[in-house]
Amino acid sequence: MRAGAWLLAAGLAGALTALPASADAPAQVHLVAASIPTASPVPMAPSVARTRFWPVVTALPQATLVPAILADGEVQGSPDRTFDSRRPSDPSKPQTRRHVGVDLTAAEGDTVVAMEPGKIVAFYPFLARDPADGGEQTWAILVAHRDYVALYGEVRASSLSDHHLAVGETLAAGQPIATVSGTAQLHTEIYPAGVTRNYKWPVGEAPPPQMRNPTQFLLDTAANGLRIYPGLGQSTVTAAP
């Protein structure tokens, strides 16, 4: 089913409007992500679909500004949210692992949608928030899309039940699948087909062969994809420019 038809059939016509993802972003040239690490870079995630949805439904400004280290050496967005930043992000603590995803701007309670058609292949506990922040246990959804597996992370534990979904179900592009947790961001990772769990990258070790850098994929989605906006009126799907 086409994404627009799915939105209408699901009864979301009064709540969501889909427009080009870059509609409220400043005009910019095509952005190119840096190869990381320089000597032996992690392969970039595939980016071949003609139509892809931005994964966060949010009213926040600059939501599609992808945190990225660019090929010209510039850093876009928060450096702590980019691929290959260090964890823990507090520099006063021993940094033991590399950040294997990109954290996208969101507000707690925002809806997460499937970027392309796919199938839910896993749903499991992901990041536990600091007790000082309430100690919430966030979860991750892994969706097998045509050319890759995407991890939609730091979502609420009730995400699947709230959206009447289960592991094994197929999804339409743009279909709501989750709700952003109290971390107020969507953590995104991408892996090759067949992967059913996330992988860690310890500092000082080579990256796992299953790992892909999602930065260029997200930059392309921000520039050319569709974005669903919370709002009023009939839901529409407008072709990207």
Side-chain angles (χ1 to χ4, degrees), residues 1 4 24 31 37 45 48 68 70 79 108 144 146 149 151 153 169 174 176 186 194 199 201 210 215 228 233 239:
M1 183 181 296
D24 66 348
L31 298 177
V48 297
L70 302 176
E108 181 176 3
R146 186 184 67 178
V149 173
L151 180 146
E169 291 197 40
L186 179 67
Y199 288 81
W201 183 6
Q210 300 89 348
T215 308
I228 300 173

mmCIF file of all heavy atoms in Angstrom, residues 1 4 24 31 37 45 48 68 70 79 108 144 146 149 151 153 169 174 176 186 194 199 201 210 215 228 233 239:
data_model
loop_
_atom_site.group_PDB
_atom_site.id
_atom_site.type_symbol
_atom_site.label_atom_id
_atom_site.label_comp_id
_atom_site.label_asym_id
_atom_site.label_seq_id
_atom_site.Cartn_x
_atom_site.Cartn_y
_atom_site.Cartn_z
ATOM 1 N N MET A 1 0.836 -1.192 0.000
ATOM 2 C CA MET A 1 0.000 0.000 0.000
ATOM 3 C C MET A 1 0.873 1.245 0.000
ATOM 4 O O MET A 1 1.853 1.316 0.725
ATOM 5 C CB MET A 1 -0.888 -0.016 1.260
ATOM 6 C CG MET A 1 -1.875 1.150 1.342
ATOM 7 S SD MET A 1 -2.866 1.099 2.865
ATOM 8 C CE MET A 1 -3.776 -0.413 2.622
ATOM 9 N N GLY A 4 0.760 7.281 1.409
ATOM 10 C CA GLY A 4 -0.351 8.191 1.596
ATOM 11 C C GLY A 4 -1.651 7.442 1.825
ATOM 12 O O GLY A 4 -2.455 7.811 2.676
ATOM 13 N N ASP A 24 11.182 22.898 6.026
ATOM 14 C CA ASP A 24 11.437 24.004 6.946
ATOM 15 C C ASP A 24 12.915 24.165 7.248
ATOM 16 O O ASP A 24 13.301 24.858 8.172
ATOM 17 C CB ASP A 24 10.660 23.821 8.254
ATOM 18 C CG ASP A 24 11.134 22.614 9.054
ATOM 19 O OD1 ASP A 24 11.886 21.801 8.493
ATOM 20 O OD2 ASP A 24 10.754 22.500 10.232
ATOM 21 N N LEU A 31 24.936 17.802 0.951
ATOM 22 C CA LEU A 31 25.945 17.583 1.985
ATOM 23 C C LEU A 31 26.536 16.190 1.858
ATOM 24 O O LEU A 31 25.826 15.212 1.612
ATOM 25 C CB LEU A 31 25.331 17.776 3.373
ATOM 26 C CG LEU A 31 24.780 19.174 3.672
ATOM 27 C CD1 LEU A 31 24.136 19.210 5.052
ATOM 28 C CD2 LEU A 31 25.886 20.215 3.564
ATOM 29 N N PRO A 37 36.367 5.668 10.285
ATOM 30 C CA PRO A 37 37.613 6.429 10.463
ATOM 31 C C PRO A 37 38.293 6.669 9.111
ATOM 32 O O PRO A 37 38.007 5.969 8.141
ATOM 33 C CB PRO A 37 38.470 5.532 11.351
ATOM 34 C CG PRO A 37 37.558 4.486 11.887
ATOM 35 C CD PRO A 37 36.464 4.335 10.881
ATOM 36 N N ALA A 45 25.851 3.404 4.939
ATOM 37 C CA ALA A 45 24.606 2.663 4.767
ATOM 38 C C ALA A 45 24.061 2.900 3.369
ATOM 39 O O ALA A 45 24.274 3.959 2.785
ATOM 40 C CB ALA A 45 23.596 3.116 5.808
ATOM 41 N N VAL A 48 19.213 3.974 -1.501
ATOM 42 C CA VAL A 48 18.791 3.767 -2.885
ATOM 43 C C VAL A 48 17.291 3.932 -3.115
ATOM 44 O O VAL A 48 16.853 4.019 -4.261
ATOM 45 C CB VAL A 48 19.222 2.362 -3.370
ATOM 46 C CG1 VAL A 48 20.743 2.245 -3.363
ATOM 47 C CG2 VAL A 48 18.617 1.265 -2.504
ATOM 48 N N ALA A 68 26.391 15.577 12.100
ATOM 49 C CA ALA A 68 27.286 14.926 11.145
ATOM 50 C C ALA A 68 28.647 15.587 11.101
ATOM 51 O O ALA A 68 28.762 16.806 11.249
ATOM 52 C CB ALA A 68 26.669 14.960 9.741
ATOM 53 N N LEU A 70 31.175 16.377 8.347
ATOM 54 C CA LEU A 70 31.087 16.463 6.895
ATOM 55 C C LEU A 70 32.451 16.305 6.238
ATOM 56 O O LEU A 70 33.493 16.445 6.882
ATOM 57 C CB LEU A 70 30.461 17.797 6.498
ATOM 58 C CG LEU A 70 29.060 18.056 7.080
ATOM 59 C CD1 LEU A 70 28.572 19.441 6.701
ATOM 60 C CD2 LEU A 70 28.072 16.985 6.609
ATOM 61 N N PRO A 79 28.199 17.716 18.223
ATOM 62 C CA PRO A 79 29.227 16.688 18.018
ATOM 63 C C PRO A 79 28.963 15.420 18.820
ATOM 64 O O PRO A 79 29.343 14.324 18.400
ATOM 65 C CB PRO A 79 30.514 17.379 18.494
ATOM 66 C CG PRO A 79 30.231 18.839 18.392
ATOM 67 C CD PRO A 79 28.767 18.992 18.694
ATOM 68 N N GLU A 108 10.056 14.258 23.799
ATOM 69 C CA GLU A 108 9.443 13.109 24.441
ATOM 70 C C GLU A 108 7.984 13.002 24.004
ATOM 71 O O GLU A 108 7.254 13.992 23.983
ATOM 72 C CB GLU A 108 9.518 13.229 25.960
ATOM 73 C CG GLU A 108 8.924 12.043 26.690
ATOM 74 C CD GLU A 108 9.077 12.121 28.195
ATOM 75 O OE1 GLU A 108 9.602 13.152 28.687
ATOM 76 O OE2 GLU A 108 8.671 11.171 28.881
ATOM 77 N N ALA A 144 13.560 -4.687 9.291
ATOM 78 C CA ALA A 144 14.240 -5.116 8.071
ATOM 79 C C ALA A 144 13.565 -4.433 6.890
ATOM 80 O O ALA A 144 12.423 -4.744 6.546
ATOM 81 C CB ALA A 144 14.171 -6.630 7.923
ATOM 82 N N ARG A 146 14.162 -3.098 2.693
ATOM 83 C CA ARG A 146 14.576 -3.859 1.507
ATOM 84 C C ARG A 146 16.081 -4.080 1.444
ATOM 85 O O ARG A 146 16.542 -5.193 1.174
ATOM 86 C CB ARG A 146 14.112 -3.137 0.238
ATOM 87 C CG ARG A 146 14.382 -3.933 -1.042
ATOM 88 C CD ARG A 146 13.992 -3.152 -2.265
ATOM 89 N NE ARG A 146 14.860 -1.987 -2.460
ATOM 90 C CZ ARG A 146 14.741 -1.166 -3.502
ATOM 91 N NH1 ARG A 146 13.791 -1.344 -4.396
ATOM 92 N NH2 ARG A 146 15.572 -0.141 -3.638
ATOM 93 N N VAL A 149 18.816 -3.077 7.540
ATOM 94 C CA VAL A 149 18.054 -3.179 8.781
ATOM 95 C C VAL A 149 18.290 -1.897 9.569
ATOM 96 O O VAL A 149 19.440 -1.504 9.800
ATOM 97 C CB VAL A 149 18.476 -4.401 9.620
ATOM 98 C CG1 VAL A 149 17.791 -4.392 10.980
ATOM 99 C CG2 VAL A 149 18.169 -5.692 8.872
ATOM 100 N N LEU A 151 17.756 0.340 13.078
ATOM 101 C CA LEU A 151 17.434 0.329 14.500
ATOM 102 C C LEU A 151 16.859 1.697 14.859
ATOM 103 O O LEU A 151 17.485 2.723 14.624
ATOM 104 C CB LEU A 151 18.670 0.030 15.338
ATOM 105 C CG LEU A 151 18.466 0.001 16.855
ATOM 106 C CD1 LEU A 151 19.367 -1.043 17.507
ATOM 107 C CD2 LEU A 151 18.702 1.370 17.512
ATOM 108 N N GLY A 153 15.981 3.519 18.028
ATOM 109 C CA GLY A 153 16.285 3.307 19.428
ATOM 110 C C GLY A 153 15.864 4.431 20.353
ATOM 111 O O GLY A 153 15.598 5.558 19.923
ATOM 112 N N GLU A 169 5.488 -8.419 12.183
ATOM 113 C CA GLU A 169 4.509 -7.738 11.348
ATOM 114 C C GLU A 169 5.184 -6.894 10.270
ATOM 115 O O GLU A 169 6.279 -6.365 10.457
ATOM 116 C CB GLU A 169 3.602 -6.850 12.202
ATOM 117 C CG GLU A 169 2.671 -7.646 13.092
ATOM 118 C CD GLU A 169 1.519 -6.801 13.621
ATOM 119 O OE1 GLU A 169 0.979 -5.978 12.853
ATOM 120 O OE2 GLU A 169 1.162 -6.975 14.790
ATOM 121 N N GLY A 174 6.150 5.198 6.309
ATOM 122 C CA GLY A 174 5.426 6.247 6.992
ATOM 123 C C GLY A 174 4.502 5.777 8.089
ATOM 124 O O GLY A 174 3.848 6.584 8.734
ATOM 125 N N PRO A 176 3.316 4.705 11.698
ATOM 126 C CA PRO A 176 3.784 4.899 13.074
ATOM 127 C C PRO A 176 4.153 3.567 13.722
ATOM 128 O O PRO A 176 3.399 2.589 13.636
ATOM 129 C CB PRO A 176 2.583 5.532 13.769
ATOM 130 C CG PRO A 176 1.828 6.211 12.672
ATOM 131 C CD PRO A 176 1.984 5.297 11.488
ATOM 132 N N LEU A 186 15.812 10.393 18.889
ATOM 133 C CA LEU A 186 15.701 9.071 18.283
ATOM 134 C C LEU A 186 17.098 8.628 17.881
ATOM 135 O O LEU A 186 17.755 9.277 17.052
ATOM 136 C CB LEU A 186 14.794 9.088 17.048
ATOM 137 C CG LEU A 186 14.660 7.732 16.350
ATOM 138 C CD1 LEU A 186 13.912 6.735 17.233
ATOM 139 C CD2 LEU A 186 13.964 7.874 14.999
ATOM 140 N N GLY A 194 19.616 -9.119 7.383
ATOM 141 C CA GLY A 194 19.830 -10.325 8.170
ATOM 142 C C GLY A 194 20.177 -10.072 9.627
ATOM 143 O O GLY A 194 20.071 -10.984 10.456
ATOM 144 N N TYR A 199 25.131 -3.802 17.486
ATOM 145 C CA TYR A 199 26.516 -4.152 17.799
ATOM 146 C C TYR A 199 27.215 -2.973 18.449
ATOM 147 O O TYR A 199 26.933 -1.813 18.117
ATOM 148 C CB TYR A 199 27.263 -4.559 16.520
ATOM 149 C CG TYR A 199 26.852 -5.906 15.985
ATOM 150 C CD1 TYR A 199 25.687 -6.036 15.221
ATOM 151 C CD2 TYR A 199 27.602 -7.050 16.247
ATOM 152 C CE1 TYR A 199 25.292 -7.269 14.733
ATOM 153 C CE2 TYR A 199 27.206 -8.287 15.753
ATOM 154 C CZ TYR A 199 26.052 -8.390 15.007
ATOM 155 O OH TYR A 199 25.661 -9.607 14.528
ATOM 156 N N TRP A 201 30.927 -0.990 19.539
ATOM 157 C CA TRP A 201 32.246 -0.745 18.960
ATOM 158 C C TRP A 201 33.155 -0.202 20.063
ATOM 159 O O TRP A 201 33.204 1.002 20.287
ATOM 160 C CB TRP A 201 32.116 0.243 17.812
ATOM 161 C CG TRP A 201 33.387 0.536 17.067
ATOM 162 C CD1 TRP A 201 34.611 -0.054 17.224
ATOM 163 C CD2 TRP A 201 33.541 1.509 16.018
ATOM 164 N NE1 TRP A 201 35.525 0.479 16.352
ATOM 165 C CE2 TRP A 201 34.885 1.445 15.600
ATOM 166 C CE3 TRP A 201 32.671 2.411 15.414
ATOM 167 C CZ2 TRP A 201 35.379 2.268 14.594
ATOM 168 C CZ3 TRP A 201 33.157 3.229 14.416
ATOM 169 C CH2 TRP A 201 34.510 3.152 14.009
ATOM 170 N N GLN A 210 29.524 -5.927 10.660
ATOM 171 C CA GLN A 210 28.108 -5.688 10.381
ATOM 172 C C GLN A 210 27.739 -4.208 10.416
ATOM 173 O O GLN A 210 26.634 -3.829 10.035
ATOM 174 C CB GLN A 210 27.233 -6.417 11.405
ATOM 175 C CG GLN A 210 27.411 -7.920 11.423
ATOM 176 C CD GLN A 210 28.518 -8.361 12.375
ATOM 177 O OE1 GLN A 210 29.308 -7.553 12.863
ATOM 178 N NE2 GLN A 210 28.565 -9.654 12.634
ATOM 179 N N THR A 215 25.204 8.164 8.470
ATOM 180 C CA THR A 215 25.188 9.618 8.310
ATOM 181 C C THR A 215 24.739 10.060 6.922
ATOM 182 O O THR A 215 23.855 10.907 6.778
ATOM 183 C CB THR A 215 26.569 10.210 8.634
ATOM 184 O OG1 THR A 215 27.002 9.752 9.911
ATOM 185 C CG2 THR A 215 26.509 11.728 8.640
ATOM 186 N N ILE A 228 6.502 13.730 7.841
ATOM 187 C CA ILE A 228 5.151 13.836 8.363
ATOM 188 C C ILE A 228 5.157 14.851 9.495
ATOM 189 O O ILE A 228 5.951 14.748 10.425
ATOM 190 C CB ILE A 228 4.636 12.472 8.864
ATOM 191 C CG1 ILE A 228 4.629 11.457 7.719
ATOM 192 C CG2 ILE A 228 3.243 12.613 9.454
ATOM 193 C CD1 ILE A 228 4.302 10.047 8.146
ATOM 194 N N GLY A 233 -6.038 19.090 9.610
ATOM 195 C CA GLY A 233 -6.410 19.024 8.207
ATOM 196 C C GLY A 233 -6.093 17.672 7.602
ATOM 197 O O GLY A 233 -5.514 16.791 8.235
ATOM 198 N N ALA A 239 5.360 14.974 -3.270
ATOM 199 C CA ALA A 239 6.640 14.462 -3.785
ATOM 200 C C ALA A 239 7.772 15.400 -3.384
ATOM 201 O O ALA A 239 7.611 16.616 -3.387
ATOM 202 C CB ALA A 239 6.578 14.324 -5.295
#
